[in-house]
Amino acid sequence: MKVHFLGTAAAEGIPSLFCRCETCRQAMQKGGKNIRTRTSVMIDDVLKLDFPPDTYFHMIRDGLDLETVQDLIITHSHSDHLLPEDLYMRLPGFAQSENRPIHVYGHDRPIGKCIDVVGTAQQKFAFHIVQPFVPVRTQTAVLVPLLADHDKTETCLLYYIEKDGKTMLYGHDSGWFPEATLDWLKDKKLDLAILECTTGRIPYRHNHMDIDCTLETKEWLAGNGVLKPDAQVAVTHFSHNAHMLHEDFVAAFEPHGITVAYDGMVLHI
């Protein structure tokens, strides 16, 4: 399984729009892995997780052919994870795209936002409302939506994904996982866990995670036998408000066996 990290920042990006903080200044100066766009991941070039406003840039930067995408999985409706207006660009009159639907999966609010933009009387997208803990067989994988601790005004989801004999957890946006999610994970075996660390050393256990919460989550997964012996753990979704550069996150996480994701990074599991 090829896991391609297209973007690794929180909503503001790094450097952030309009920001003059020292972190953004240094990120702009140093460049490289310190430049972070809004979070998204592509699996085997056929399954995409979230559709942020930087998708167009990801396509150009990484030479992506978005027409290879068969499944689009949405975690929640926040604007850094879903820009439905750009889905409209696949419709006739805008793109010469394939005559098949991309299947879009999510809970009711993000799916509703997509339908509000592109409608249902078209052949380019097929929409599916998922329910927590109910398995779904997509065109490319089997996924199970899991509850996140994030925005209390909507059902925000994490995803367990099984594809070609490999399993992974897409574990953000969320604070410490809800008990129902932890209970569901207890008898699973993961090849890869993708966690988040939005706030760095700023204490945070709800809605998002800080370093301590991320490490505790990895320890829980390992302690409960959820991680296979050779499993990989990666961390993503960083905010400039954490006031940490890439090297700072590496120093905090690599001693604990956690890979710090950066834009364009590819993992193979």
Side-chain angles (χ1 to χ4, degrees):
M1 183 188 290
K2 172 188 172 185
V3 182
H4 187 177
F5 290 79
L6 304 178
T8 57
E12 309 93 343
I14 303 176
S16 173
L17 288 166
F18 307 108
C19 188
R20 290 180 172 177
C21 79
E22 186 60 24
T23 303
C24 288
R25 288 178 184 270
Q26 289 188 50
M28 184 73 81
Q29 180 182 17
K30 292 187 174 185
K33 296 175 182 178
N34 290 293
I35 304 298
R36 299 184 183 273
T37 57
R38 272 65 69 94
T39 297
S40 179
V41 162
M42 185 92 85
I43 299 174
D44 290 336
D45 300 320
V46 296
L47 188 156
K48 191 175 190 302
L49 288 142
D50 284 335
F51 198 83
D54 297 316
T55 299
Y56 177 74
F57 174 69
H58 296 158
M59 178 188 73
I60 294 172
R61 183 197 65 200
D62 293 342
L64 302 178
D65 178 3
L66 293 178
E67 279 296 280
T68 66
V69 174
Q70 299 179 46
D71 293 320
L72 174 59
I73 316 300
I74 307 297
T75 57
H76 59 298
S77 72
H78 290 178
S79 62
D80 56 322
H81 294 262
L82 176 63
L83 182 66
E85 288 76 11
D86 271 0
L87 294 176
Y88 199 85
M89 295 302 103
R90 192 173 189 257
L91 299 189
F94 294 94
Q96 285 73 57
S97 58
E98 294 184 12
N99 190 26
R100 62 163 179 87
I102 292 176
H103 291 261
V104 186
Y105 299 83
H107 205 254
D108 52 2
R109 185 172 293 185
I111 294 299
K113 286 190 172 184
C114 292
I115 291 173
D116 286 345
V117 172
V118 304
T120 56
Q122 44 76 31
Q123 305 300 316
K124 299 297 185 176
F125 297 97
F127 298 106
H128 309 271
I129 295 178
V130 301
Q131 300 297 330
F133 307 110
V134 178
V136 178
R137 183 173 292 278
T138 73
Q139 316 310 298
T140 63
V142 174
L143 63 89
V144 181
L146 307 175
L147 288 175
D149 170 23
H150 192 44
D151 186 343
K152 301 304 181 184
T153 68
E154 71 170 287
T155 300
C156 299
L157 298 173
L158 315 175
Y159 287 94
Y160 169 89
I161 298 169
E162 183 174 345
K163 184 178 186 296
D164 300 332
K166 299 294 185 178
T167 57
M168 63 172 281
L169 172 67
Y170 196 64
H172 69 86
D173 292 13
S174 183
W176 182 253
F177 297 162
E179 286 302 314
T181 294
L182 294 174
D183 288 344
W184 190 91
L185 285 169
K186 280 182 179 176
D187 63 346
K188 304 303 181 294
K189 301 293 181 184
L190 297 175
D191 294 290
L192 171 65
I194 299 176
L195 306 177
E196 73 141 79
C197 185
T198 303
T199 68
R201 297 188 178 92
I202 300 170
Y204 235 85
R205 290 183 63 86
H206 297 290
N207 304 104
H208 286 296
M209 291 188 182
D210 62 6
I211 290 173
D212 289 341
C213 191
T214 306
L215 293 175
E216 187 177 344
T217 302
K218 193 244 182 176
E219 291 171 3
W220 185 95
L221 293 171
N224 283 273
V226 179
L227 298 177
K228 293 181 180 179
D230 59 347
Q232 298 185 59
V233 179
V235 62
T236 187
H237 201 274
F238 306 106
S239 172
H240 72 114
N241 288 312
H243 301 302
M244 296 176 67
L245 297 174
H246 180 78
E247 62 206 50
D248 301 318
F249 284 111
V250 168
F253 284 116
E254 284 200 349
H256 300 274
I258 298 176
T259 299
V260 177
Y262 55 87
D263 283 26
M265 185 180 83
V266 175
L267 293 180
H268 292 279
I269 61 172

